[in-house]
Amino acid sequence: MTTHLHVTIREMKIQDYADVYRLWDSLPGIGLSEADQQPAIQTYLNHNAGLSQVAVQDNRVVGAVLCGHDGRRGYLHHLAVAPEVQRQGIGRALLRTCLERLRRLGIQKCHIFLIPDNREGQVFWEQNGFYLRHDLQLMSCDLID
Ligand SMILES: CC(C)(COP(=O)(O)OP(=O)(O)OC[C@H]1O[C@@H](n2cnc3c(N)ncnc32)[C@H](O)[C@@H]1OP(=O)(O)O)[C@@H](O)C(=O)NCCC(=O)NCCS
């Protein structure tokens, strides 16, 4: 657990779900789907124990990020900081905590997914060591009807 500008960064628990979902839902740049419903997030947290983080200020969740890996590469989803506390280093602190945990697990590269018109998000990632891939495109397949 780390403390940053009176904000504590700690592991996300399922008990944080309602606060975290409300935060995600309030922010453009975060695309939500059925994969973000509580049972799916519970599965995600169990599968990636201790990796996802929240930022808490005065008992209030002001930041969150999902972090996981597949044994090969790391993935971050839905990094979010409440508008009134943005630009205070909370996003970076959440990111650093996740990357350090992935590093300790031997993961050597981490990917994120960015909605193409999220310019501010892109600047954040670029300022924090991420680079846009021009050699890859994301393709997906639905496993349910
Ligand atoms: C992206 C986000 C998580 C950044 O959180 P944050 O706590 O404000 O970021 P930080 O204060 O740690 O910023 C670190 C650095 O990133 C860059 N940065 C962050 N937000 C920026 C913005 N809006 N415009 C330009 N640069 C920005 C700056 O270089 C900043 O350092 P500085 O403040 O010393 O200049 C936050 O803006 C957010 O929740 N956005 C909406 C959701 C979203 O788009 N998430 C990303 C999904 S892929």
Side-chain angles (χ1 to χ4, degrees):
M1 191 188 294
T2 54
T3 304
H4 185 83
L5 295 171
H6 313 293
V7 173
T8 299
I9 307 293
R10 64 157 171 80
E11 292 172 14
M12 186 189 297
K13 302 182 180 64
I14 197 61
Q15 289 78 6
D16 299 311
Y17 176 79
D19 293 337
V20 169
Y21 190 90
R22 204 174 301 119
L23 175 63
W24 286 338
D25 200 28
S26 72
L27 290 168
I30 306 282
L32 295 173
S33 73
E34 69 283 355
D36 301 301
Q37 294 303 304
Q38 183 161 345
I41 296 296
Q42 172 85 76
T43 301
Y44 186 88
L45 296 180
N46 291 345
H47 188 77
N48 298 285
L51 295 182
S52 297
Q53 306 291 317
V54 288
V56 181
Q57 185 177 46
D58 299 330
N59 288 323
R60 182 175 156 247
V61 171
V62 293
V65 61
L66 293 175
C67 174
H69 72 88
D70 57 15
R72 184 171 173 278
R73 297 304 192 204
Y75 299 88
L76 302 178
H77 307 271
H78 297 350
L79 174 66
V81 172
E84 61 277 16
V85 291
Q86 286 182 5
R87 298 307 290 267
Q88 296 178 29
I90 297 171
R92 179 177 282 151
L94 286 163
L95 172 63
R96 283 190 176 158
T97 302
C98 290
L99 296 185
E100 182 50 33
R101 288 182 185 223
L102 289 171
R103 234 178 249 122
R104 274 192 241 149
L105 293 168
I107 302 295
Q108 296 182 345
K109 187 174 281 199
C110 182
H111 301 305
I112 61 111
F113 302 92
L114 184 69
I115 295 173
D117 66 0
N118 186 357
R119 268 301 299 158
E120 290 184 354
Q122 185 175 337
V123 173
F124 169 84
W125 293 110
E126 286 171 346
Q127 291 297 317
N128 286 285
F130 285 71
Y131 47 91
L132 205 54
R133 298 291 294 257
H134 298 286
D135 54 337
L136 289 175
Q137 285 186 317
L138 182 68
M139 294 182 73
S140 308
C141 137
D142 296 326
L143 301 183
I144 51 164
D145 294 330

